[in-house]
Amino acid sequence: MKTQQDAATFLLRIALAFGFLSAVASRLNLWGTRSSGWKNFVHYTAETNSFLPQSWAASIAVLSTTAELSIGILLLVGFQVKKTAWCASVLTLFFATAMSISFGIKEPLDYSVFAFSAGAFLLSTFSRYTWSLDQLLH
């Protein structure tokens, strides 16, 4: 049972890491023609945060991208997984809430943002993280 839990924890950590890193790669046009691009992301940020001044969109886009890149890298290498996963959960819960306010509940449900947030929260509850930098350091 412990081996299955270790494997599941590892796979959840890696899936969340790649989810964050893929989103960042799309904004930076690293996915080629399948990328959203920075300009589109800033526009989407303004739409998603429609309850905030539109002039904040670029700053929110930079902050969220920086947070997502940091979280993605930290989860990928497995450093400070418990804290990083909790931050990932909070960030995606904020995103899901903003989406719900601006577009209605269907949008974050269709994109599984609540599930992503819950998965990150679940990851933050484990006491050990095999195949991680945390494991090597302890």
Side-chain angles (χ1 to χ4, degrees), residues 17-37:
F18 279 116
F20 280 113
L21 294 174
S22 176
V24 171
S26 182
R27 290 170 210 161
L28 302 178
N29 289 316
L30 299 177
W31 284 120
T33 59
R34 302 183 68 97
S35 295
S36 60

Side-chain angles (χ1 to χ4, degrees), residues 35 43 55 58 75 79-80 83 133:
S35 295
H43 178 71
S55 61
L75 288 175
F79 184 70
Q80 296 289 313
K83 291 177 188 173
L133 198 53

